[in-house]
Amino acid sequence: MLNKIIQTFLIPIMILNLGAGIVGGIWLAFLGEWKLIGIGILLIFISQFILGFLMLPSLPIAGIALYFHRKKNPLFYLFGFISNLYTNILIVATCAFAFFICSSYYKTDIIGFLFIPYLLWSWGMALGPWQYFASKERDNEFTAITLFGASVFYLLFLV
């Protein structure tokens, strides 16, 4: 059952991860939203450094979790949870930030077809840095699962 659900979401997520930002950016260029495109490109480049800095507090927490894991102490679960929770909070904050920036440039009161390029561009802005981080850890299945989960929930949020 769970396998069927994952397969259902896998193809749209892969398509969005590969092309949403590009398609949204081109569409926004045709709409003349050059300021939003510039902000998005700037954020895509600097967000890796900002997020890297913001993720620093999770390193000692993960180190403590690793220490307890080696000692076979159940506190490993607590510190592992806190470390993952902090990372997930950063992912949600990134997605919300990108969505609110992109939606603030949408000038029509009615949510319709022309809102799609803003959503596609926000996809690239929100998940692009996390995709970059995941590409550097290809052998870490937890990173892939986290990125997939973030992509699914951001897709559900946008729909």
Side-chain angles (χ1 to χ4, degrees), residues 134-145:
S135 73
K136 299 297 180 190
E137 298 180 11
R138 292 186 188 270
D139 57 338
N140 189 345
E141 65 271 1
F142 296 113
T143 302
I145 291 169

Side-chain angles (χ1 to χ4, degrees), residues 42-53 94 125 128-129 133:
L42 178 69
L43 285 177
I44 287 171
F45 284 115
I46 67 169
S47 63
Q48 298 163 9
F49 302 109
I50 294 170
L51 289 174
F53 180 73
T94 305
M125 286 173 56
F133 290 143

